[in-house]
């Protein structure tokens, strides 16, 4: 078994508050929310980061964005939301399984710090 935190969360081996699941995608609430609604949306398949997206795995990423749209409808995020991917050290990535932050519920500053 992989030693990846988000693989374990997707497999139910580490508890999380699920907000969405389908064949390819799992989404759960961030443990340290940065907005009133803050979910982490991941492909179940282990992809290290956005730098590793390619022809063979881009279907998993497409599924993530379809899920984002579905979650936004279910959670009534009609005022808008932000999807963030942190990639690599300078991007601020702390978990080595690609993930997309879905943030909503307040006006979000731009540009980010
Ligand atoms: P990043 O810094 O982009 O790699 O984002 C990692 C995110 O995962 C952070 O926002 C953390 O708060 C979140 N996180 C880490 N461990 C957990 C966990 N066990 N359950 C939910 N969220 C987590
Ligand atoms: Zn993983």
């Amino acid at each position: 078994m992989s030693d990846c935190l988000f693989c374990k969360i997707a497999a139910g081996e580490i508890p999380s508050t699920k907000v969405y699941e389908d064949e390819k995608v799992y989404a759960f609430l961030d443990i340290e929310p940065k907005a009133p609604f803050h979910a982490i949306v991941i492909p179940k398949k282990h992809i290290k980061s956005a730098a590793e997206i390619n022809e063979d795995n881009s279907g998993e990423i497409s599924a993530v964005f379809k899920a984002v749209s579905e979650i936004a409808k279910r959670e009534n995020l009609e005022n808008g939301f932000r999807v963030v991917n942190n990639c690599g050290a300078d991007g601020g990535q702390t978990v080595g399984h690609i993930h997309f932050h879905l943030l909503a519920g307040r006006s979000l500053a731009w540009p980010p710090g």
Side-chain angles (χ1 to χ4, degrees):
M1 177 63 202
S2 139
D3 200 27
C4 169
L5 173 64
F6 286 176
C7 280
K8 287 181 176 167
I9 285 179
E13 291 169 15
I14 290 176
S16 66
T17 303
K18 177 165 86 173
V19 296
Y20 177 88
E21 182 171 17
D22 66 30
E23 188 194 333
K24 290 189 166 177
V25 177
Y26 189 78
F28 53 101
L29 295 181
D30 196 291
I31 207 167
E32 284 182 44
K34 313 296 188 295
F37 181 82
H38 184 174
I40 298 286
V41 190
I42 63 171
K44 289 181 175 175
K45 181 177 177 176
H46 183 87
I47 300 168
K48 203 169 142 194
S49 78
E52 311 273 316
I53 298 170
N54 58 36
E55 200 69 40
D56 293 336
N57 63 25
S58 58
E60 317 303 316
I61 307 306
S62 167
V64 162
F65 278 86
K66 274 197 273 182
V68 163
S69 170
E70 179 60 27
I71 296 164
K73 288 187 187 81
R74 290 185 190 179
E75 302 289 338
N76 301 310
L77 307 183
E78 62 275 345
N79 282 346
F81 56 84
R82 183 170 294 167
V83 180
V84 173
N85 171 254
N86 297 328
C87 178
D90 280 0
Q93 183 174 5
T94 61
V95 178
H97 179 131
I98 192 169
H99 52 281
F100 297 84
H101 299 258
L102 173 52
L103 300 145
R106 66 174 172 83
S107 181
L108 297 158
W110 187 262

